C-alpha cells in the first residue's frame, strides 16, 4: 500500500529554495527567489562566496522592485519586535497561568517556569477561543471580553517586561455577529493595550486591517502564521517560520535577510526534536516560538532543547546590536576540520567586536578549533556540543571589551549544556467520581455491572483525545489526517450497576436545588445567564438547564445523592435507546475530567441543536448518537458555562 504523502517528510512547499549560482540573476530568477522560505546553502564551501554574492544581489533587486522603504521598522513604538527572540503561545487556561482551585490567573508561576527552563520570555500570545469556539454562538471577541481580570493579566505581563499578542481568527464567520471584524479587533487591541496581533491561519493582514490597527495602537506588531510575501515585509514587523525545512548545510531565512529588523520565530508545533529550528534561529539571529501545549496537547520540550533556548536567548539579548547592525556573513569560513565535523557558523562584525554563532549538526561533540586565532568561548564548554550551539567572541587587539561581557559570562556559567534529548511525557489523570448515597429516579436507565467494550466515534482535531499527541513529528497535518471521522475502543468494568437519569435536569429542578440549598458558585461569571431575576424565564421551566459548569452540575447531583455519569456510563445507557433528550437538545457534562498538570478537559456526550458553520475549526455541533464523544478543553472563570451544555445525574445501584 502506498500513501499520497508521508507526514513525517517535509512537503515540497516546506523545503528550502535552491539559489542558482550559474549565469546572471535574471528578473525571472529574482522573482522566483521572492518565494523562498529558506535559501538553501551549497554543500561545497567553494561555492559559498558566490552564494553570498547572489543573496546580496537578490536583496538589492527585490528591494528596488518592491519600492522598499523600511518605514514600519522606524516606528519607535515597535522597535521591541526586532529583539523579541522568545514568544510563548499559551492557552489562557493553561494550569501554569491559571489556578482552577483559586479561580485566578497566576502569571508569576508561569513566568518563573519560563525563566528557569527557557531563560525567560520576551512576549506571549494569549490564546483564547479555539478549540472551544463554536460550542455555542459566542464569537471570538466574547472569549476575550467575558474573561474577568483579563486586562489585569495583560498589565501584570507588561509589568514583568513582556509584550502581549492577542489572537485574530479570520475564519470565525459562523458565530454571532456584533460588528465588523476589523473594528472589533482594533477596539480589543485598544482596550487591552495589546502590543501585537497574531494572524491565525493567515500569512498577512490586508492593508485596511493594518491601517485600522495602527490607528488603534501605534506601533502594533502583526505576525502571520506562515511565509510572509516579500512585499509585505514592508508593513509586518514579524512572522512565523512555521514548518520551514532547512538544507543539510544550514541556509538563510529569506524574510530576515531582506530586512534584518524583521523578526521571525521558528516553530514546528508537533516535533519533539527542535534542534534544526534552534540552529537555524541561532545562525540567522532570529527567535523561536516556545509552544508546549498545542490546543490542549502536551508537546513539551526536552531538557536539551530547553537548555539550548536558555543559552541562545541570553546571548542574543546581550549582543542585540551586533545581530542587528553588524556585518552578517552566513556560513563564514572556519578552521580546517570544523566543517568536516558538521560545524557551521555565522559571523557578525561590528567595530572591534566579532561574534561567531556556531552549530554542530552531528551526534558527537566537536573539540577542535572552530576559527583561527584567539577567541573567547562565551559558554565556556570547550567544545561545540553534539546537536548544540556555541558562541565565540573576538575583541580586536587593544580594543576595550564590551561592557556587557562580564555580566553575560557570569549568567552563562549558570547555564550548562544539557545533553538529555528525551521527550518529557505527561499523562492525563482522571478525576475519580465520588460514591453516591441517594436513590435513583424510578425511570433511570440501569447499566448492569461487569465488563464492557465500547466503540467511540469522534472527529480528529488538534486536541487529540485522551492521552498523547494526535500527531508526532509531523509536518502540518492536513485532511484527511485532520478533521476526519475516527473511532477508538474503550473497555472497562463496572463494579456495581449504575443508574443513569433518563432525562436531563431542567431549569425548574435546578431552581428547586437553589431554593433548598442556597448554592452559589465560587466564580459567579455567566452562572445561569439565561435566567431573569434569578429565576427561569417563563415558558422555559422544562428546558434543560444550561449556563452551568462542571462544578455546578456536580453540586446539583450531590444534592440528589448522585453524581454525573462517566462518558462510558452515558454511552452504555444511551445505547439502550431509553435516554430522553430535552428541547432544545444540549450536550451533556460527564464525570470525565482529566488533567495533565497543564490542561483540563472533559468528554461531552449527546450533541446539541446548535451548530456553527463556515469553518472546520469550530467545535462539533448537531445532535449526535450515544457513541459520539467530543473533547472539550475546560476554560476557567465561568467561561465553561454556555447555552448548549446541560447534564443528567447518575447513581451507583446498591445491592
Amino acid at each position: 500500500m502506498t500513501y499520497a504523502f508521508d507526514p513525517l517528510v517535509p512537503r515540497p512547499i516546506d523545503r528550502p529554495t535552491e539559489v542558482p549560482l550559474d549565469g546572471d540573476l535574471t528578473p525571472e530568477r529574482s522573482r522566483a527567489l521572492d518565494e523562498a522560505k529558506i535559501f538553501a546553502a551549497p554543500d561545497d564551501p567553494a561555492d559559498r562566496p558566490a552564494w553570498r554574492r547572489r543573496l546580496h544581489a537578490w536583496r538589492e533587486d527585490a528591494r528596488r522592485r518592491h519600492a522598499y522603504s523600511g518605514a514600519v521598522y522606524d516606528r519607535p513604538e515597535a522597535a521591541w519586535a526586532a529583539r523579541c527572540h522568545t514568544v510563548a503561545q499559551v492557552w489562557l487556561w493553561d494550569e501554569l497561568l491559571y489556578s482552577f482551585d483559586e479561580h485566578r490567573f497566576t502569571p508569576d508561576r508561569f513566568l518563573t517556569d519560563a525563566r528557569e527552563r527557557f531563560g525567560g520570555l520576551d512576549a506571549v500570545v494569549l490564546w483564547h477561543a479555539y478549540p472551544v469556539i463554536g460550542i455555542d454562538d459566542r464569537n471570538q471577541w466574547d472569549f476575550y471580553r467575558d474573561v474577568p481580570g483579563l486586562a489585569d493579566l495583560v498589565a501584570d505581563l507588561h509589568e514583568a517586561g513582556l509584550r502581549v499578542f492577542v489572537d485574530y481568527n479570520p475564519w470565525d464567520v459562523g458565530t454571532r455577529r456584533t460588528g465588523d471584524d476589523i473594528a472589533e479587533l482594533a477596539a480589543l487591541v485598544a482596550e487591552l493595550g495589546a502590543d501585537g496581533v497574531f494572524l491565525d491561519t493567515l500569512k498577512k493582514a490586508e492593508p485596511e486591517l493594518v491601517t485600522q490597527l495602527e490607528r488603534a495602537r501605534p506601533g502594533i506588531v502583526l505576525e502571520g502564521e506562515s511565509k510572509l510575501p516579500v512585499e509585505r515585509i514592508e508593513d509586518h514587523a514579524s512572522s512565523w517560520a512555521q514548518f520551514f525545512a532547512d538544507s543539510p548545510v544550514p541556509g538563510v531565512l529569506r524574510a530576515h535577510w531582506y530586512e534584518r529588523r524583521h523578526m521571525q520565530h521558528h516553530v514546528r508545533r508537533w516535533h519533539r526534536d527542535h534542534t534544526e529550528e534552534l540552529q537555524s534561529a541561532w545562525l540567522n539571529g532570529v527567535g523561536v516560538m516556545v509552544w508546549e501545549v498545542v490546543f490542549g496537547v502536551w508537546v513539551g520540550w526536552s531538557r536539551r532543547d530547553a537548555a539550548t533556548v536558555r543559552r541562545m536567548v541570553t546571548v542574543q539579548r546581550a549582543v542585540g546590536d551586533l545581530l542587528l547592525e553588524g556585518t552578517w556573513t552566513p556560513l563564514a569560513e572556519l578552521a580546517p576540520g570544523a566543517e568536516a565535523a558538521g560545524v557551521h557558523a555565522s559571523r557578525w562584525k561590528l567595530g572591534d567586536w566579532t561574534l561567531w554563532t556556531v552549530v554542530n549538526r552531528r551526534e558527537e561533540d566537536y573539540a577542535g578549533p572552530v576559527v583561527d586565532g584567539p577567541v573567547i568561548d562565551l559558554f565556556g564548554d570547550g567544545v561545540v556540543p553534539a546537536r548544540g550551539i556555541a558562541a565565540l567572541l573576538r575583541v580586536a587587539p587593544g580594543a576595550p571589551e564590551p561592557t556587557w561581557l562580564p555580566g553575560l559570562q557570569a549568567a552563562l556559567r549558570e547555564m550548562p549544556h544539557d545533553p538529555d534529548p528525551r521527550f518529557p511525557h505527561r499523562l492525563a489523570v482522571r478525576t475519580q467520581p465520588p460514591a453516591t448515597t441517594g436513590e435513583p429516579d424510578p425511570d433511570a436507565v440501569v447499566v448492569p455491572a461487569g465488563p464492557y467494550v465500547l466503540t467511540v466515534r469522534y472527529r480528529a482535531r488538534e486536541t487529540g483525545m485522551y492521552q498523547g499527541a494526535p500527531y508526532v513529528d509531523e509536518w502540518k497535518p492536513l485532511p484527511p489526517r485532520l478533521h476526519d471521522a475516527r473511532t477508538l475502543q474503550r473497555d472497562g468494568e463496572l463494579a456495581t450497576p449504575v443508574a443513569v437519569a433518563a432525562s436531563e435536569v431542567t431549569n425548574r429542578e435546578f431552581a428547586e436545588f437553589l431554593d433548598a440549598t442556597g448554592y452559589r458558585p465560587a466564580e459567579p461569571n455567566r452562572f445561569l445567564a439565561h435566567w431573569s431575576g434569578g429565576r427561569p424565564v417563563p415558558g422555559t421551566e422544562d428546558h434543560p438547564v444550561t449556563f452551568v459548569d462542571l462544578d455546578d452540575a456536580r453540586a446539583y447531583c450531590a444534592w440528589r445523592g448522585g453524581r454525573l455519569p462517566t462518558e462510558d456510563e452515558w454511552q452504555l445507557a444511551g445505547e439502550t435507546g431509553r435516554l430522553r433528550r430535552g428541547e432544545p437538545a444540549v450536550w451533556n457534562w460527564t464525570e470525565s475530567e482529566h488533567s495533565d498538570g497543564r490542561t483540563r478537559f472533559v468528554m461531552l456526550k449527546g450533541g446539541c441543536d446548535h451548530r456553527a458553520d463556515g469553518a472546520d475549526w469550530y467545535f462539533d455541533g448537531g445532535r449526535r448518537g450515544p457513541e459520539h464523544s467530543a473533547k472539550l478543553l475546560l476554560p476557567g472563570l465561568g467561561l465553561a458555562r454556555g447555552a448548549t451544555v446541560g447534564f443528567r445525574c447518575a447513581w451507583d445501584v446498591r445491592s
Side-chain angles (χ1 to χ4, degrees), residues 440 443-447 498-503 565 569-570 573-574 579 648-651:
D443 60 348
V445 178
V446 177
V447 178
V498 174
V500 178
S503 300
E569 293 164 351
W570 200 106
L579 291 188
R648 65 185 72 223
C649 297
W651 297 264

Side-chain angles (χ1 to χ4, degrees), residues 73-405:
Y73 301 93
D74 295 330
R75 300 172 301 168
E77 306 95 333
W80 61 269
R83 299 171 188 260
C84 180
H85 291 281
T86 48
V87 181
Q89 181 140 306
V90 58
W91 170 238
L92 273 176
W93 315 109
D94 185 312
E95 292 186 73
L96 276 181
L97 185 62
Y98 177 76
S99 169
F100 282 87
D101 294 332
E102 300 173 20
H103 306 287
R104 67 178 184 90
F105 289 113
T106 55
D108 288 345
R109 182 170 61 187
F110 171 74
L111 294 174
T112 296
D113 176 81
R115 185 166 52 251
E116 291 175 351
R117 294 197 297 129
F118 296 104
L121 300 170
D122 298 314
V124 293
V125 180
L126 294 179
W127 198 268
H128 67 310
Y130 174 79
V132 174
I133 188 171
I135 193 169
D136 50 36
D137 70 348
R138 282 176 288 176
N139 61 38
Q140 59 181 305
W141 320 116
D142 295 325
F143 278 95
Y144 275 131
R145 291 194 171 116
D146 283 355
V147 178
L150 181 58
D152 293 335
L153 172 62
V154 173
D156 288 342
L157 293 170
H158 281 157
E159 180 68 22
L162 277 72
R163 301 290 178 161
V164 177
F165 286 78
V166 293
D167 169 45
Y168 170 47
N169 307 130
W171 46 265
D172 176 26
V173 296
T175 56
R176 75 187 191 100
R177 300 296 88 192
T178 54
D180 174 75
D181 268 7
I182 295 178
E184 289 277 21
L185 180 56
L188 179 74
V189 164
E191 290 167 20
L192 294 179
D195 306 285
V197 174
F198 172 66
L199 306 169
D200 180 38
T201 72
L202 295 178
K203 296 180 179 179
K204 57 182 174 56
E206 293 305 316
E208 182 185 359
L209 178 57
V210 175
T211 300
Q212 291 277 15
L213 291 177
E214 180 67 22
R215 187 175 298 141
R217 174 76 162 167
I220 192 77
V221 171
L222 307 180
E223 183 158 15
E225 186 172 347
S226 189
K227 181 185 72 176
L228 181 66
V230 68
E231 64 272 16
R232 300 306 300 279
I233 297 172
E234 176 73 43
D235 59 3
H236 289 62
S238 192
S239 62
W240 274 16
Q242 180 173 219
F243 300 121
F244 282 25
D246 207 350
S247 45
V249 174
V252 166
L253 286 163
R254 182 262 296 165
H256 190 65
W257 179 258
Y258 185 84
E259 169 54 77
R260 192 92 63 86
R261 293 171 293 177
H262 181 85
M263 177 53 70
Q264 293 187 270
H265 297 109
H266 262 295
V267 54
R268 296 180 191 171
R269 66 181 71 174
W270 300 114
H271 280 62
R272 293 183 174 180
D273 181 350
H274 297 283
T275 303
E276 190 172 284
E277 301 151 71
L278 293 172
Q279 292 190 348
S280 177
W282 185 231
L283 292 173
N284 282 271
V286 300
V288 292
M289 170 65 68
V290 177
W291 196 0
E292 290 201 292
V293 182
V294 176
F295 309 127
V297 175
W298 171 247
V299 290
W301 286 41
S302 70
R303 292 172 59 92
R304 181 184 68 190
D305 290 344
T308 298
V309 173
R310 187 165 62 244
R311 287 149 63 94
M312 182 174 81
V313 300
T314 300
V315 173
Q316 287 175 325
R317 290 170 186 149
V319 305
D321 290 347
L322 265 165
L323 299 179
L324 287 171
E325 301 168 20
T327 300
W328 174 20
T329 304
L331 295 180
E333 185 177 353
L334 303 181
E339 173 130 0
V343 173
H344 306 282
S346 281
R347 184 176 68 231
W348 316 81
K349 188 176 190 310
L350 183 63
D352 295 324
W353 308 328
T354 303
L355 174 73
W356 286 267
T357 52
V358 186
V359 305
N360 182 354
R361 297 292 238 198
R362 301 283 176 81
E363 301 291 342
E364 304 83 26
D365 293 349
Y366 174 70
V370 176
V371 297
D372 294 327
V375 291
I376 301 169
D377 179 354
L378 294 181
F379 293 142
D381 293 329
V383 299
V384 186
R387 307 282 287 170
I389 64 173
L392 307 176
L393 178 70
R394 176 174 294 159
V395 179
E401 290 185 341
T403 56
W404 43 258
L405 182 58

Side-chain angles (χ1 to χ4, degrees), residues 23-41:
D24 296 331
L25 181 65
T26 63
E28 293 75 19
R29 282 180 163 184
S30 188
R31 285 192 293 270
L33 291 176
D34 283 6
E35 301 304 315
K37 291 182 173 179
I38 290 180
F39 295 128

Side-chain angles (χ1 to χ4, degrees), residues 15-76:
R15 298 181 186 277
T17 298
E18 297 294 331
V19 178
L21 302 181
D22 61 313
D24 296 331
L25 181 65
T26 63
E28 293 75 19
R29 282 180 163 184
S30 188
R31 285 192 293 270
L33 291 176
D34 283 6
E35 301 304 315
K37 291 182 173 179
I38 290 180
F39 295 128
D43 294 332
D44 188 346
D47 291 332
R48 308 268 171 78
W51 174 72
R52 287 190 288 266
R53 288 193 297 271
R54 182 54 52 93
L55 295 186
H56 280 281
W58 167 80
R59 181 171 60 196
E60 181 179 350
D61 178 67
R63 285 181 168 185
R64 177 190 56 77
R65 284 187 286 108
H66 297 295
Y68 182 68
S69 72
V72 71
Y73 301 93
D74 295 330
R75 300 172 301 168

Side-chain angles (χ1 to χ4, degrees), residues 453-455 570-579 626-627:
V453 178
L454 293 171
T455 297
W570 200 106
Q571 181 169 339
L572 288 164
E575 288 178 346
T576 68
R578 291 157 50 202
L579 291 188
E627 73 282 358

